[in-house]
Amino acid sequence: MKIKLILKSILVIVLIAAMIPYGFSQDKNLKNIVILATGGTIAGFAESGTQAGYTSGQVGIQTMIDAVPGIKKLANITGEQIANVGSQDMSVEVWLKLANRINELLATDDVDGIVITHGTDTQEETAYFLNLVVKSDKPVVTTGSMRPSTAVSAEGPLNLYNAVAVAANPKSKGHGVMIVMNDQIHSAQAVTKTNTTSVETFKSPMQGLMGAVIYGQLEFYRTPHGLHTYESEFSVKGVKELPRVDIIYGGVDMPADLIDLSIKAGAKGIVIAGVGNGNMNAASLAASKKAAANGIVVVRSTRVPTGYVLRNAECNDDEYNTIASDELNAQKSRVLLMLCLLKDRSLDDIQKIFYTY
Ligand code: GLU
C-alpha cells in the first residue's frame, strides 16, 4: 500500500516536471526566453561604485535576472550559465557549446528566443559566429554592459531588460543574431565595438542601426544585410574545433616573416588587417602569394574602421590569389574564414562567400 502511494507520488512529480519544460514558470500569454550567460562586465564586480578597475564574470545569471525590475513581466525566463569569463577569454570551445545549445533549444516548441550575456570586447565576433551557424529564424540577442554591476549608473540591467524584450517580440523573428545595448538594436553582421570605455560603444558604421528599443518598446528600421542563421550554409554540428586563422596587422615596414611564422605555427588561413583598401607592402604581398601557392587562404581586410576592401583595386587579387574581405573587418573576416575552411572550397567560392555573408 505504502509502495503504491510512493509510486503514485513519483508519477505526479514526473508529470508536473514534464509540464514545465526547461523550468519555465508558465504564463501562457508570455514567450519563453532562455538567457545563456557567458560572463563579461555585465557580470563584473568592483569593490566601489566609481572605480575603473573590476573583475569580469563574477555574478551568476540568476542574480542578474533578479536584479532587473519588471523583467519577469516581459517573458517566462530561465537562465543557464554556459561560461563566466571576460570576453577576452572567449574561446572556440565555448562558441561550439553555445551554438549547439542554442540550436538544441530553438528546435523545440518550448523556446521562443535566446538572450546571451557576453563581455563587449569580443561580442561582435560571437554574435557574427552565431549569425552564421544558428539554424533558426527565432530571435537570438546578445547583450552586455560597459560598466560592472556594482558601478554607479550600471547600464547592464536595462540592457538585459531590452534584450529580453527584443527576443520576446514577434517582430524580431528573421532578423538574424542581434546585439542589443544602449537602447540600440544592431545586426551581428554590421556591428563593431568602437570605444574602449563609453556606454555608446557599439556602432554599425557602414549600414546604421537595425532598430531601437526604449524600455522594451521596439522598432526595426531595416532587415539584416547578407545571409544569416536559417539561410546560412554553415553548420557546426559534430564539429570539435575550427581551423586556425591568424590576423596580421599592417603598417609601415610590415614584417613579412609574420606570415611565414603564422603558417609554421599551424594557421590554415591568414587575415591581413591591411592599410587603406586592404593593402600590404611588397614583401608581405610576396609572402602572401607564396602562402596561397601552398594552400593557405589569405584574406585582405583592413585596419581602417569603415569602408570596403575591393577586389583587384590597388592589389591584384587574381595575381596574388588573395580574397578581398568586402565590408568585413579583420575580426569578422577571421570568423568567416574559420568556417569556410571547415571544408574544401575553391578561392572563387570563398570570395563569393565574402560577398554573400
Ligand atoms: N574585457 C571585458 C569583457 O569583454 C570588458 C568589456 C565588457 O564586458 O564591457 O568581458
Side-chain angles (χ1 to χ4, degrees), residues 41 44-56 146-151 197:
T41 298
F45 182 88
E47 287 306 325
S48 91
T50 49
Q51 70 188 67
Y54 62 92
T55 316
S56 275
M146 292 299 283
R147 295 177 181 148
S149 64
T150 44
T197 55

Side-chain angles (χ1 to χ4, degrees), residues 178-196:
M178 295 163 266
I179 289 188
V180 170
M181 294 240 324
N182 198 36
D183 297 350
Q184 299 175 338
I185 307 172
H186 293 270
S187 155
Q189 195 261 358
V191 70
T192 191
K193 184 173 181 175
T194 65
N195 189 291
T196 52

Side-chain angles (χ1 to χ4, degrees), residues 38 58 66 75 77 108 114 116 148 167 182 184 196 227 241 260 267:
T38 70
Q58 297 296 300
D66 292 342
I77 298 171
T108 74
I114 302 283
I116 299 141
N182 198 36
Q184 299 175 338
T196 52
L227 298 183
E241 57 187 19
D260 306 323

Side-chain angles (χ1 to χ4, degrees), residues 108-121:
T108 74
D109 292 336
D110 303 318
V111 179
D112 300 302
I114 302 283
V115 170
I116 299 141
T117 57
H118 197 294
T120 56
D121 288 356

Side-chain angles (χ1 to χ4, degrees), residues 92-104 128-135 232-243 335 338-340 342:
V92 168
E93 191 187 338
V94 177
W95 275 1
L96 295 172
K97 193 170 159 192
L98 254 182
N100 289 328
R101 186 65 182 133
I102 292 169
N103 282 329
E104 183 180 37
Y128 185 56
F129 169 73
L130 295 174
N131 200 47
L132 297 170
V133 300
V134 164
K135 300 282 162 212
S232 167
E233 68 198 80
F234 298 103
S235 164
V236 287
K237 200 166 176 217
V239 169
K240 297 277 175 264
E241 57 187 19
L242 296 179
V335 175
M338 281 164 132
L339 287 169
C340 281
L342 277 174

Side-chain angles (χ1 to χ4, degrees), residues 58-249:
Q58 297 296 300
V59 182
I61 180 58
Q62 200 50 50
T63 312
M64 277 160 60
I65 295 170
D66 292 342
V68 186
I71 200 167
K72 288 173 188 158
K73 290 192 184 133
L74 291 175
N76 300 314
I77 298 171
T78 53
E80 285 179 28
Q81 198 78 43
I82 297 288
N84 210 355
V85 293
S87 70
Q88 58 271 43
D89 283 320
M90 185 46 60
S91 62
V92 168
E93 191 187 338
V94 177
W95 275 1
L96 295 172
K97 193 170 159 192
L98 254 182
N100 289 328
R101 186 65 182 133
I102 292 169
N103 282 329
E104 183 180 37
L105 288 167
L106 293 184
T108 74
D109 292 336
D110 303 318
V111 179
D112 300 302
I114 302 283
V115 170
I116 299 141
T117 57
H118 197 294
T120 56
D121 288 356
T122 60
Q123 192 169 149
E124 68 192 84
E125 284 149 88
T126 299
Y128 185 56
F129 169 73
L130 295 174
N131 200 47
L132 297 170
V133 300
V134 164
K135 300 282 162 212
S136 172
D137 65 351
K138 293 179 187 172
V140 177
V141 176
T142 72
T143 192
S145 74
M146 292 299 283
R147 295 177 181 148
S149 64
T150 44
V152 172
S153 300
E155 87 283 27
L158 184 54
N159 285 343
L160 189 58
Y161 183 91
N162 280 334
V164 169
V166 171
N169 195 310
K171 281 199 252 180
S172 304
K173 231 180 170 187
H175 281 80
V177 177
M178 295 163 266
I179 289 188
V180 170
M181 294 240 324
N182 198 36
D183 297 350
Q184 299 175 338
I185 307 172
H186 293 270
S187 155
Q189 195 261 358
V191 70
T192 191
K193 184 173 181 175
T194 65
N195 189 291
T196 52
T197 55
S198 165
V199 293
E200 188 171 8
T201 188
F202 283 109
K203 299 212 166 132
S204 298
M206 294 287 282
Q207 299 172 24
L209 288 181
M210 192 156 72
V213 49
I214 314 291
Y215 296 109
Q217 301 295 312
L218 59 109
E219 202 58 68
F220 280 103
Y221 308 135
R222 64 177 181 90
T223 49
H225 174 73
L227 298 183
H228 59 83
T229 53
Y230 63 96
E231 310 159 327
S232 167
E233 68 198 80
F234 298 103
S235 164
V236 287
K237 200 166 176 217
V239 169
K240 297 277 175 264
E241 57 187 19
L242 296 179
R244 174 169 165 167
V245 173
D246 291 349
I247 297 174
I248 296 178
Y249 206 84

